[in-house]
Amino acid sequence: MAKNLFFVFILLCSSVAYAQELQSELQDQDWRIIPGSYEKNKPGWDVYVYPVFKHSDGDFNMSRVMLSPTEAVVLVSFDGRDYGALKINDKMKVGWKLPLKGVPYAIFKFRKNLLVCTESDISKIGRKRESGIYLIDPQTGKIVKQQDHLDPMVKDGESDFEVRLLQNETQHEVKLGIRYYEKKLPAITRGMNIVALDDDLKAVSNEKIPLSNNGIYLNSALNSRGDFVFLSAEENNQLKVQTFEAKTWIPQKRILIPFHPRKKSKFFGELYLSSFNPDYAFVYVDYLNDEKEEIRAIHKIDFSTETFFSYERVLGKDFIRNIKSGYETVNKKLDKPDFDDWDKMKVIRIIDNEERVIVFEEVRYSYQSPQVNSDRIYWTTGDGLINFLNSSMKPLIYAVIPKRFRLNGPVGLSSSLHVKDNKIVMVSGYDKGKGRTAIYAQIDASSGNVEKIEELKKDEIKDNYPVDPQATLWFDDSFVLSYLDADGAMLRIKKIQANLQKFSY
């Protein structure tokens, strides 16, 4: 009996520690957080239908830097016309605001400063791209160094090239990956160079990566050790992952993974690096096989042993039926899952630790209004699925997060996930009758149990303001939501401004 009472006490303490309590609201700001560009091989949605939303879809991980557990610097738009960066803390106090020329699309820690990259607004100058590079003091918000472009030291005059930003987050280094290709075959890599920068953003070295037999380029990155990782799809029905030692760029490991897409069919591939072990990487691919089945495959690669483990499934009704049969409602006040649109589920994030690989998938799609002569597009974020795998990629348990958010503008997209201690917490938009709100879910990272799904209440913020979940700022003991004043007659909106909510957890 005493043992059971002790268990109940621990459970209650855990619940209190992660209870959500609205602390304060801050309304009608003259700015809102915008995403950066997709550095990974992710297709962005065309959001230029409504100009006010044109910088709403992208990678929010590229638009914020956590300076400490209580401070962040984010990329923002000011009054829908100008762009820049600002510093904000967990009390929702803005430390500084810095307008910048162009539209910022990436921010990184770069040694003692912040590195912000911008490009011209293509809606104003056609398709011509102009870039701007800034070094910013994170404490004062003052510009330390400014120049028009990064100097890639391009020497190969026979090829077109693209510049990719590569960050080693552990060492706060940013390097440039110069990928050369032929204009007629942009997916085929002719060569790859790594350029190192000094404190004045000048190129101090330009090293060639000794690639071999390059197929279709999928992605590349630096791991936490600084090694270069390159992913490609080869003609001989294989995915190839190559690693090159940091600084020397000597080839280290080459892993080949069987891959059998149907001829002339499209496929989607992505590279994720482990968050805790530089010898681990994940390759995710969706493709159509010869039997015309849609396949989702996620491979865990261990470079230290040159082995890989795989999780594969057919994206069909059998899998959905299996999940549906085992689903148990957590909060009866919220809607049930809409399993009819689970065929539009995408992989959003992969999280790993020593015992588990956690794959977060989410329904995400858009469609054009069926009304005649209407250009209106509706964006939908649906149910979430958290797939828990063991270290050998064998499925253990699924967690379903039922939710639904739809808007005729590209805000409120997807969800924001955060790992706190041994909990996975997430925020997502939610339609509630004629109003819009957000839901908060908490999942135990070890067992996969959904411990709670709750609606986050508003106080003074209007019911019709949608939350922008990916703009959520996760601090040490609180998180800040952004609700956007972007409702009503969408085509007449000239600016979007943020209304902030702070919750403790």
Side-chain angles (χ1 to χ4, degrees), residues 29-222:
Q29 301 305 292
D30 64 350
W31 54 270
R32 69 168 174 123
I33 300 174
I34 62 172
S37 64
Y38 284 121
E39 272 296 290
K40 294 181 177 179
N41 181 30
K42 265 188 176 178
W45 285 344
D46 182 7
V47 299
Y48 283 81
V49 177
Y50 307 127
V52 72
F53 295 118
K54 61 179 177 280
H55 299 297
S56 296
D57 181 40
D59 187 351
F60 280 83
N61 292 319
M62 296 285 287
S63 69
R64 60 175 165 243
V65 165
M66 299 303 298
L67 298 179
S68 72
T70 60
E71 290 183 313
V73 176
V74 293
L75 304 181
V76 296
S77 65
F78 296 106
D79 290 327
R81 298 186 302 271
D82 302 313
Y83 299 87
L86 65 78
K87 180 181 177 180
I88 186 171
N89 66 16
D90 59 346
K91 305 294 189 296
M92 298 193 296
K93 299 294 185 182
V94 175
W96 48 258
K97 297 180 181 180
L98 178 63
L100 299 170
K101 293 182 180 179
V103 180
Y105 64 89
I107 182 170
F108 303 98
K109 287 183 180 178
F110 184 73
R111 298 171 187 165
K112 296 181 180 180
N113 295 310
L114 299 175
L115 172 65
V116 176
C117 303
T118 69
E119 64 183 4
S120 297
D121 191 335
I122 63 174
S123 65
K124 296 180 180 179
I125 61 171
R127 293 192 175 276
K128 181 182 178 184
R129 295 295 181 98
E130 297 175 355
S131 59
I133 310 300
Y134 299 88
L135 277 183
I136 300 169
D137 185 316
Q139 301 306 319
T140 65
K142 294 183 179 180
I143 296 175
V144 176
K145 179 73 176 181
Q146 177 182 352
Q147 61 188 53
D148 293 335
H149 58 83
L150 289 170
D151 179 8
M153 295 175 60
V154 177
K155 296 180 179 179
D156 189 342
E158 299 179 359
S159 303
D160 289 317
F161 68 93
E162 65 173 349
V163 180
R164 301 184 62 82
L165 298 168
L166 306 172
Q167 185 181 37
N168 180 339
E169 296 182 0
T170 303
Q171 300 177 6
H172 299 159
E173 287 287 336
V174 178
K175 297 184 185 295
L176 308 182
I178 314 300
R179 190 178 77 88
Y180 299 98
Y181 59 89
E182 295 180 6
K183 184 174 293 185
K184 294 181 179 180
L185 297 170
I188 305 300
T189 304
R190 291 192 68 255
M192 191 90 190
N193 284 34
I194 301 293
V195 175
L197 305 172
D198 63 14
D199 290 332
D200 291 323
L201 298 180
K202 296 298 183 182
V204 294
S205 67
N206 188 349
E207 303 291 338
K208 185 176 181 179
I209 300 294
L211 295 172
S212 60
N213 300 323
N214 300 308
I216 297 174
Y217 174 77
L218 296 179
N219 209 344
S220 57
L222 294 179

Side-chain angles (χ1 to χ4, degrees), residues 216-254:
I216 297 174
Y217 174 77
L218 296 179
N219 209 344
S220 57
L222 294 179
N223 65 18
S224 59
R225 196 164 46 216
D227 303 328
F228 181 63
V229 185
F230 188 91
L231 172 64
S232 59
E234 304 299 306
E235 292 182 353
N236 55 355
N237 291 326
Q238 290 179 319
L239 295 169
K240 181 172 66 177
V241 190
Q242 297 176 273
T243 63
F244 304 84
E245 186 182 52
K247 298 182 180 179
T248 67
W249 312 124
I250 296 173
Q252 296 294 302
K253 303 294 174 62
R254 186 180 69 166

Side-chain angles (χ1 to χ4, degrees), residues 326-393:
Y327 173 72
E328 295 182 2
T329 301
V330 176
N331 188 338
K332 295 181 179 179
K333 295 181 180 180
L334 301 178
D335 292 338
K336 295 181 179 179
D338 184 1
F339 292 103
D340 290 339
D341 62 6
W342 274 38
D343 60 327
K344 301 178 181 66
M345 191 166 280
K346 309 291 191 298
V347 172
I348 304 299
R349 189 174 172 187
I350 298 176
I351 305 169
D352 70 316
N353 56 37
E354 293 184 4
E355 298 179 351
R356 299 284 185 269
V357 176
I358 301 167
V359 181
F360 177 60
E361 304 175 53
E362 190 169 54
V363 172
R364 184 179 178 183
Y365 63 95
S366 64
Y367 64 92
Q368 189 165 345
S369 170
Q371 296 180 0
V372 179
N373 298 325
S374 175
D375 290 332
R376 180 165 292 186
I377 296 177
Y378 291 90
W379 284 263
T380 298
T381 299
D383 300 325
L385 173 67
I386 303 179
N387 188 355
F388 290 83
L389 312 172
N390 67 14
S391 58
S392 299
M393 301 299 285

